[in-house]
Structures are given as structure tokens and as C-alpha cells.
Amino acid sequence: MSNFNSPIRLSSSLIKHLKYRVRMGSNPLLPHSRSFTTTEGHRPIIVHKRSLDILHDPWFNKGTSFSFTERDRLDLRGLLPPNVMSTEQQIERFMVDLKRLEEQARDGPSDPNALAKWRILNRLHDRNETMYYKVLIANIEEYAPIVYTPTVGLVCQNYSGLFRRPRGMYFSAEDRGEMMSMVYNWPADQVDMIVVTDGSRILGLGDLGVQGIGIAIGKLDLYVAAAGINPQRVLPVMIDVGTNNERLLKDPLYLGLQRHRLDGDEYLAVIDEFMEAVFTRWPHVIVQFEDFQSKWAFKLLQRYRNTYRMFNDDVQGTAGVAIAGLLGAVRAQGRPMIDFPKQKIVVAGAGSAGIGVLNATRKTMARMLGNNEHAFQSAGRQFWVVDAKGLITEEREDLDPEARPFARNVKEIHRQGLREGASLVEVVQEVKPDVLLGLSAVGGLFSKEVLEALRGSTSTRPAIFAMSNPTTNAECTPEEAFSIVGDNVVFASGSPFKDVDLGNGHIGHCNQGNNMYLFPGIGLGTLLSGSRIISDGMLQAAAECLAAYMTDEEVLKGVIYPSISSIRDITKQVAAAVIKEAIEEDLAEGYREMDSRELRKLSQEEIKEYVLNSMWSPEYPTLVYRKE
């Protein structure tokens, strides 16, 4: 029985929150009751607008759900059809429209249905945020691939043509010296979460310039749906420093700066000014860096991570999800997770995602081996990294400094029958790895020859991680993996694929190693802990929590990641693990009424309850008009 069920053992801070909720008329023992953080969104909200202004504001618009008393109070009587509809009726109407309009919303036969769905959902987002998130949460498995990967890649590629009304903020190279004042143009007095990109490496699609804002919007949709961050406290940001995409530079319809990207100190000056501006107005905000090219991803992470509450999802989030999957692959072999440091891993790709995964995986292995210098060196010998030029060794000239720690010793690889620049097929043939990990953004890289070579793996159950996004960039499909390597393979991908029917009642499970399993929980846990920074330990705790989420029975069937449908519960668990680690590292400073002293008194179950009660849910608040 959890401590939450025993009032005598509750901390004084939780008791204070429960008393408050009783005053608000809620039952504190109901599983979906809310604490102070969410009742703020469900008490009457004071608005300073009426009439059509309310109907045109997606934050406050309820459409046909406005009650008659609210219609009188807000001067809406006569502006809406007379039938007051429930949210369930509204959603039913929307879903009927969605199914009917999917085909009609397409821009010709070349326009996929997924993009048409995105358009329809985006229109709902533009007019009624509460209902949009209610639909998204209720249908998260179906719509996550629409608002996020893979469809968000198509959205970003076509964003200049899809743009209808602004969402988020744009800071450009032309705004230097003005960002401190610009940040006050955003209407929200409180922002909890910012996702920022410079559009330089959107998914595996390259430089999309200002059109990359689509990825920031999509990520924040998942922060709201999965982590329950209040949508009025999220802010997507594009930092436009130009683009090196020649097609966009010549496109008369392109919405961004048509000049080549800033570089060097000029580039850093823009990012520095942005960071100072947002943290000056919102000192407790969390900034997630998204889809920055490798050249800057690591530099900016090291530049800011010890000063600001920030993290890079491509480097750290991808790494955490990969580690959880790799630990799951060990469990799928029927072995304990402590055997992880014995895994031989061939990695295809040495960009920001690839190096981020390598660094985090080596730290995990080293920690299991004793967390000393010898353990760190021993863990490094478990990786063979192949980039566009082949196997990376110490002989490589002009080697990226971030990849240098993973360059193989020349004498050692000669004994293995390999050489500098050896092909992926050659490396797989000679190493016989337990895991083939793809983070290359090269679709089809795991060719028939590569997969046939993996059949020689010394593992009883080899694992294939084709993690590149969007779907077209996946290194191989699950059908190829199971048909060529064998039915016993463990398969994971970055984008969603359907399970494979192997015949005789057997299923080849396709696991989606999606960053959305981790980044919402990392953000929410950081927010609720009040941690000054996001430490490696907090990220590691998140990854290990995800790895342990699956049951032994599920893992032995080859299911190493949970269903997207349980994303809010996953996020709750991950956030609680992050908070616990922040407390143990003495980083937690508390959040609102839950100060650090009270936070430290909470049991593990109370932490989970604290997280659950702090998650926003899409319900219409009562609106009260007051003149400014």
C-alpha cells in the first residue's frame, strides 16, 4: 500500500495541498484529483476580452460549449448557435469532419493523407486549444505520428506554403540588440517550456531554415499531451540565422532570411542574446534545443548546460531512449541488465545523435563496471563506429573531436581483419555484433548484404535499431530485418512501423524507440523538482526508468518499448525518477508551494502522486470578464 493512502504518513506539504483541494470542492482521494498547479487552470479565469475577441482566441474559445450564463457574461449570446454542446458532442462532430475531409483536404494526389490530417488538426489548434489537446490525448497513438515524426518532417519541408497564422516566436539575425525587449511581446507572463531550433538539421532532412519551426511546435504538442504542461505556458521558438539550402535561398515564397547562415562568433552572439533574454523574463523556464546541426549541438550544450536549465534532445534524449532499448535488448536475451557492458555494438552514424548515444552508452557501461577510469576505457572498446567514410580509427585525418574517443586502435582492428575506412558490411562480418545501431539518416543503409552479415552474430538474439527519422530515412524496415536475419531478432526504429506477421501465429514486434518516451518526463521532472540544471544523473535515471517499465514477459517476446497509448503514465514515472535523482544530487530547489525541504520528505509513491496532480488536463475553465 502506498504512503498516499495513509494520512498520518503524508508530508505537511501534501496535506496543505489536499486541504486546498477540499476547499476547491474536489475529493482528495480520487485518482484524478488535482493539486494547486492544475486547479489554477480550472478555477474561474479572469479574461479581459469579450464577444468575438473571445471566440477568436484559441486559449479561451469553447465554441458551442459556452453555457448560457457565460454567453451572457461574455456578450456571446446570438454569436453562437443556440444548442449548448458537451465536449463529447464537439469531439464527435470533429471526428466525423476529420474522416470526411481527409481526402478533400489533400492538395492533389501527391499529397499524403497524413499531411491532410495535419491540416485539419492544425485548424482545430488555431481555434480551440482545449479541444485540440482533448482530441490529441484521447487518440495519441493515431495522432502522435501526425503532429510529430514522421509527418512533422513533411510539414517542415512545406511550411512556407502551409503557414496560415503565427505560432511561437521568431528571433532572427536582424534582431540583434533587440531580443531583450522582443521577449516581452509574448503574451504569457509565465512560460515553463521552450523548444528552440535554428532549422539547420531537421530530422534527417537537412537545413530547412525558418521552416524548422514545425518541429518545435510538434514537440511542444507532446509536452502538453504527454507531460501535462499547460499549453498557455509553452513557447516554440525559431532562431533564424539564415540558411545554406540553395533551393530556399531562391524560393520567392520562403518566409525566412534569404542569406547564408551566420557562423562562428556571430552565430554564438545571436544564441547568447536569445538565452539571456528568455531567462531574464522567465528565470525558471526550461529550454530544449532541437535539431541543431552537429557542429553546434555539442558546443551549445557544453556552453549552457551548467548555467541554464536546458538540454539537447537529439544528443541527450535520443541517447536515453537508445540506452533504454539497448538494456531491453539484453533482457530480451534472457540476461540480466548488468551484462550490458559485454555487448558488442556497431554504430552507423557519427552525427550529433550518434555521438550522443555513444557517450551516454559508454557512461552507462562504465557505471556498471565500477565507474572508474579502467571501467571507462573498457566500455569504450565495445563500440565500432562507421560513418560515411567507413570505420573510424585513430588513422583518420580531420576527425571530428567529438568522435575521437571512439576511434579504434589500428593494431587492434588489424588483428580483427579490419582497417581504417572498412565498410559497414566488413565491420559486421568481422565483429559479429550483438547490436547493429543505426543513427545515420541514410535510408536503406542496412542493405541485404549488411543484414546477411548480421546472421553471423555471436548473440543468441541480435538487435537491430534503425533509429533514423523520418520513415524514409530508416536504415531498414522490420520486414527486411525479420526476413533476412531471422524471426528471433529484436527490432526497433525511430518512426512507427507495423508489426510483422511471421506466420504460425508468431509476431515480429516493431518497437518504436521514440524520444517522446523521455523528453516530456525529463522536462516535467525538472520543472517540478526546481533543479538548477539537468544533470547526467537525471538523464540516466530517466533512461533506466524507461528500461524497467516493460515486464519480463513482454521483453522476452521482443517488446522493449511500451505502447504510445500509455504515454502519460510513462511520463509520470519518468518525471518521478528525474525528481528523485535531482533530490539525491541536492539539485532540487522546489516548485511553487512544494519547497525543497518538503520535496525531500516525499516517499517514492508521494512523488508520483505529486507529479500526477501537477499534470494539466484539457477541461474548459469558467471564464469571468473583468475590464483591464
PDB file of all heavy atoms in Angstrom, residues 22 34 37 61 79 87 94 111 170 198 204 255 350 361 402 428 511 525:
ATOM      1  N   VAL A  22      -9.721  20.382  -1.079  1.00  0.00           N
ATOM      2  CA  VAL A  22     -11.020  20.195  -0.421  1.00  0.00           C
ATOM      3  C   VAL A  22     -11.790  21.516  -0.451  1.00  0.00           C
ATOM      4  O   VAL A  22     -12.981  21.555  -0.729  1.00  0.00           O
ATOM      5  CB  VAL A  22     -10.836  19.680   1.019  1.00  0.00           C
ATOM      6  CG1 VAL A  22     -12.149  19.718   1.775  1.00  0.00           C
ATOM      7  CG2 VAL A  22     -10.279  18.257   0.995  1.00  0.00           C
ATOM      8  N   ARG A  34      -6.807  17.077  -8.457  1.00  0.00           N
ATOM      9  CA  ARG A  34      -5.712  17.936  -8.887  1.00  0.00           C
ATOM     10  C   ARG A  34      -5.172  18.765  -7.736  1.00  0.00           C
ATOM     11  O   ARG A  34      -5.901  19.174  -6.855  1.00  0.00           O
ATOM     12  CB  ARG A  34      -6.186  18.888  -9.992  1.00  0.00           C
ATOM     13  CG  ARG A  34      -6.471  18.133 -11.261  1.00  0.00           C
ATOM     14  CD  ARG A  34      -6.827  19.113 -12.367  1.00  0.00           C
ATOM     15  NE  ARG A  34      -7.157  18.364 -13.537  1.00  0.00           N
ATOM     16  CZ  ARG A  34      -8.322  17.765 -13.715  1.00  0.00           C
ATOM     17  NH1 ARG A  34      -9.255  17.869 -12.806  1.00  0.00           N
ATOM     18  NH2 ARG A  34      -8.561  17.064 -14.800  1.00  0.00           N
ATOM     19  N   THR A  37      -1.309  23.146  -8.735  1.00  0.00           N
ATOM     20  CA  THR A  37      -0.754  23.537 -10.037  1.00  0.00           C
ATOM     21  C   THR A  37      -1.776  23.449 -11.138  1.00  0.00           C
ATOM     22  O   THR A  37      -1.706  24.178 -12.102  1.00  0.00           O
ATOM     23  CB  THR A  37       0.441  22.650 -10.413  1.00  0.00           C
ATOM     24  OG1 THR A  37       0.067  21.296 -10.245  1.00  0.00           O
ATOM     25  CG2 THR A  37       1.656  22.966  -9.596  1.00  0.00           C
ATOM     26  N   ASN A  61     -11.366  30.053 -26.240  1.00  0.00           N
ATOM     27  CA  ASN A  61     -12.553  29.698 -27.019  1.00  0.00           C
ATOM     28  C   ASN A  61     -13.058  28.301 -26.653  1.00  0.00           C
ATOM     29  O   ASN A  61     -12.286  27.349 -26.557  1.00  0.00           O
ATOM     30  CB  ASN A  61     -12.230  29.757 -28.515  1.00  0.00           C
ATOM     31  CG  ASN A  61     -13.440  29.422 -29.370  1.00  0.00           C
ATOM     32  OD1 ASN A  61     -14.581  29.672 -28.987  1.00  0.00           O
ATOM     33  ND2 ASN A  61     -13.197  28.850 -30.534  1.00  0.00           N
ATOM     34  N   LEU A  79     -24.155  35.076 -30.915  1.00  0.00           N
ATOM     35  CA  LEU A  79     -22.979  34.875 -31.778  1.00  0.00           C
ATOM     36  C   LEU A  79     -22.689  33.396 -32.009  1.00  0.00           C
ATOM     37  O   LEU A  79     -21.776  33.051 -32.763  1.00  0.00           O
ATOM     38  CB  LEU A  79     -21.746  35.544 -31.160  1.00  0.00           C
ATOM     39  CG  LEU A  79     -21.846  37.051 -30.926  1.00  0.00           C
ATOM     40  CD1 LEU A  79     -20.538  37.572 -30.339  1.00  0.00           C
ATOM     41  CD2 LEU A  79     -22.176  37.778 -32.228  1.00  0.00           C
ATOM     42  N   THR A  87     -18.484  18.617 -24.448  1.00  0.00           N
ATOM     43  CA  THR A  87     -17.204  18.395 -25.149  1.00  0.00           C
ATOM     44  C   THR A  87     -17.246  17.089 -25.931  1.00  0.00           C
ATOM     45  O   THR A  87     -16.641  16.979 -27.003  1.00  0.00           O
ATOM     46  CB  THR A  87     -16.038  18.359 -24.145  1.00  0.00           C
ATOM     47  OG1 THR A  87     -16.317  17.409 -23.113  1.00  0.00           O
ATOM     48  CG2 THR A  87     -15.794  19.730 -23.540  1.00  0.00           C
ATOM     49  N   PHE A  94     -16.244  16.797 -34.600  1.00  0.00           N
ATOM     50  CA  PHE A  94     -14.925  16.994 -35.211  1.00  0.00           C
ATOM     51  C   PHE A  94     -14.435  15.711 -35.876  1.00  0.00           C
ATOM     52  O   PHE A  94     -13.913  15.738 -36.991  1.00  0.00           O
ATOM     53  CB  PHE A  94     -13.914  17.452 -34.157  1.00  0.00           C
ATOM     54  CG  PHE A  94     -12.498  17.498 -34.689  1.00  0.00           C
ATOM     55  CD1 PHE A  94     -12.092  18.535 -35.505  1.00  0.00           C
ATOM     56  CD2 PHE A  94     -11.605  16.486 -34.395  1.00  0.00           C
ATOM     57  CE1 PHE A  94     -10.802  18.565 -36.020  1.00  0.00           C
ATOM     58  CE2 PHE A  94     -10.311  16.510 -34.901  1.00  0.00           C
ATOM     59  CZ  PHE A  94      -9.913  17.558 -35.715  1.00  0.00           C
ATOM     60  N   ASP A 111      -0.300  14.516 -52.453  1.00  0.00           N
ATOM     61  CA  ASP A 111      -0.327  14.954 -51.052  1.00  0.00           C
ATOM     62  C   ASP A 111      -0.817  13.810 -50.175  1.00  0.00           C
ATOM     63  O   ASP A 111      -1.937  13.339 -50.326  1.00  0.00           O
ATOM     64  CB  ASP A 111      -1.270  16.158 -50.923  1.00  0.00           C
ATOM     65  CG  ASP A 111      -1.199  16.799 -49.547  1.00  0.00           C
ATOM     66  OD1 ASP A 111      -0.179  16.624 -48.876  1.00  0.00           O
ATOM     67  OD2 ASP A 111      -2.165  17.471 -49.166  1.00  0.00           O
ATOM     68  N   TYR A 170       9.774  34.180 -33.383  1.00  0.00           N
ATOM     69  CA  TYR A 170      10.886  34.120 -34.328  1.00  0.00           C
ATOM     70  C   TYR A 170      11.916  35.178 -33.933  1.00  0.00           C
ATOM     71  O   TYR A 170      11.611  36.365 -33.871  1.00  0.00           O
ATOM     72  CB  TYR A 170      10.394  34.409 -35.749  1.00  0.00           C
ATOM     73  CG  TYR A 170       9.389  33.403 -36.264  1.00  0.00           C
ATOM     74  CD1 TYR A 170       8.039  33.485 -35.899  1.00  0.00           C
ATOM     75  CD2 TYR A 170       9.778  32.374 -37.113  1.00  0.00           C
ATOM     76  CE1 TYR A 170       7.116  32.563 -36.358  1.00  0.00           C
ATOM     77  CE2 TYR A 170       8.863  31.439 -37.589  1.00  0.00           C
ATOM     78  CZ  TYR A 170       7.533  31.547 -37.206  1.00  0.00           C
ATOM     79  OH  TYR A 170       6.623  30.624 -37.670  1.00  0.00           O
ATOM     80  N   ASP A 198      17.278  26.077 -34.749  1.00  0.00           N
ATOM     81  CA  ASP A 198      17.751  27.029 -35.764  1.00  0.00           C
ATOM     82  C   ASP A 198      17.504  26.462 -37.159  1.00  0.00           C
ATOM     83  O   ASP A 198      17.950  27.035 -38.147  1.00  0.00           O
ATOM     84  CB  ASP A 198      19.235  27.368 -35.556  1.00  0.00           C
ATOM     85  CG  ASP A 198      20.161  26.194 -35.853  1.00  0.00           C
ATOM     86  OD1 ASP A 198      19.661  25.066 -36.053  1.00  0.00           O
ATOM     87  OD2 ASP A 198      21.392  26.407 -35.889  1.00  0.00           O
ATOM     88  N   GLY A 204      16.179  14.018 -40.442  1.00  0.00           N
ATOM     89  CA  GLY A 204      17.267  13.660 -41.354  1.00  0.00           C
ATOM     90  C   GLY A 204      17.137  14.392 -42.667  1.00  0.00           C
ATOM     91  O   GLY A 204      17.666  13.954 -43.695  1.00  0.00           O
ATOM     92  N   LEU A 255       9.768  32.044 -46.229  1.00  0.00           N
ATOM     93  CA  LEU A 255       9.399  33.035 -45.206  1.00  0.00           C
ATOM     94  C   LEU A 255      10.574  33.519 -44.361  1.00  0.00           C
ATOM     95  O   LEU A 255      10.420  34.442 -43.572  1.00  0.00           O
ATOM     96  CB  LEU A 255       8.337  32.435 -44.277  1.00  0.00           C
ATOM     97  CG  LEU A 255       6.983  32.112 -44.926  1.00  0.00           C
ATOM     98  CD1 LEU A 255       6.093  31.333 -43.957  1.00  0.00           C
ATOM     99  CD2 LEU A 255       6.282  33.389 -45.363  1.00  0.00           C
ATOM    100  N   ALA A 350      27.820   9.115 -37.111  1.00  0.00           N
ATOM    101  CA  ALA A 350      28.634   9.808 -36.111  1.00  0.00           C
ATOM    102  C   ALA A 350      28.266  11.289 -36.051  1.00  0.00           C
ATOM    103  O   ALA A 350      29.109  12.149 -35.825  1.00  0.00           O
ATOM    104  CB  ALA A 350      30.123   9.634 -36.424  1.00  0.00           C
ATOM    105  N   THR A 361      25.944   5.809 -23.674  1.00  0.00           N
ATOM    106  CA  THR A 361      26.014   4.354 -23.520  1.00  0.00           C
ATOM    107  C   THR A 361      27.318   3.948 -22.840  1.00  0.00           C
ATOM    108  O   THR A 361      27.341   3.057 -21.972  1.00  0.00           O
ATOM    109  CB  THR A 361      25.897   3.670 -24.896  1.00  0.00           C
ATOM    110  OG1 THR A 361      24.715   4.133 -25.563  1.00  0.00           O
ATOM    111  CG2 THR A 361      25.818   2.162 -24.748  1.00  0.00           C
ATOM    112  N   GLU A 402      34.582  15.224 -31.352  1.00  0.00           N
ATOM    113  CA  GLU A 402      33.566  14.521 -30.573  1.00  0.00           C
ATOM    114  C   GLU A 402      33.608  13.014 -30.832  1.00  0.00           C
ATOM    115  O   GLU A 402      33.232  12.215 -29.969  1.00  0.00           O
ATOM    116  CB  GLU A 402      32.161  15.066 -30.914  1.00  0.00           C
ATOM    117  CG  GLU A 402      31.977  16.551 -30.671  1.00  0.00           C
ATOM    118  CD  GLU A 402      32.057  16.910 -29.196  1.00  0.00           C
ATOM    119  OE1 GLU A 402      31.893  16.012 -28.350  1.00  0.00           O
ATOM    120  OE2 GLU A 402      32.270  18.097 -28.889  1.00  0.00           O
ATOM    121  N   VAL A 428      30.547  -5.578 -39.783  1.00  0.00           N
ATOM    122  CA  VAL A 428      29.560  -6.510 -39.223  1.00  0.00           C
ATOM    123  C   VAL A 428      30.038  -7.953 -39.377  1.00  0.00           C
ATOM    124  O   VAL A 428      29.907  -8.763 -38.449  1.00  0.00           O
ATOM    125  CB  VAL A 428      28.175  -6.300 -39.893  1.00  0.00           C
ATOM    126  CG1 VAL A 428      27.188  -7.377 -39.434  1.00  0.00           C
ATOM    127  CG2 VAL A 428      27.619  -4.915 -39.556  1.00  0.00           C
ATOM    128  N   ASN A 511       9.351  -2.202 -32.438  1.00  0.00           N
ATOM    129  CA  ASN A 511       9.382  -1.252 -31.326  1.00  0.00           C
ATOM    130  C   ASN A 511       9.768   0.127 -31.841  1.00  0.00           C
ATOM    131  O   ASN A 511      10.733   0.260 -32.587  1.00  0.00           O
ATOM    132  CB  ASN A 511      10.430  -1.699 -30.300  1.00  0.00           C
ATOM    133  CG  ASN A 511      10.109  -3.048 -29.700  1.00  0.00           C
ATOM    134  OD1 ASN A 511       9.324  -3.148 -28.777  1.00  0.00           O
ATOM    135  ND2 ASN A 511      10.724  -4.110 -30.229  1.00  0.00           N
ATOM    136  N   GLY A 525       9.839  16.551 -14.927  1.00  0.00           N
ATOM    137  CA  GLY A 525      10.569  16.257 -13.693  1.00  0.00           C
ATOM    138  C   GLY A 525      11.478  17.399 -13.283  1.00  0.00           C
ATOM    139  O   GLY A 525      11.583  17.738 -12.094  1.00  0.00           O
TER     140      GLY A 525
END
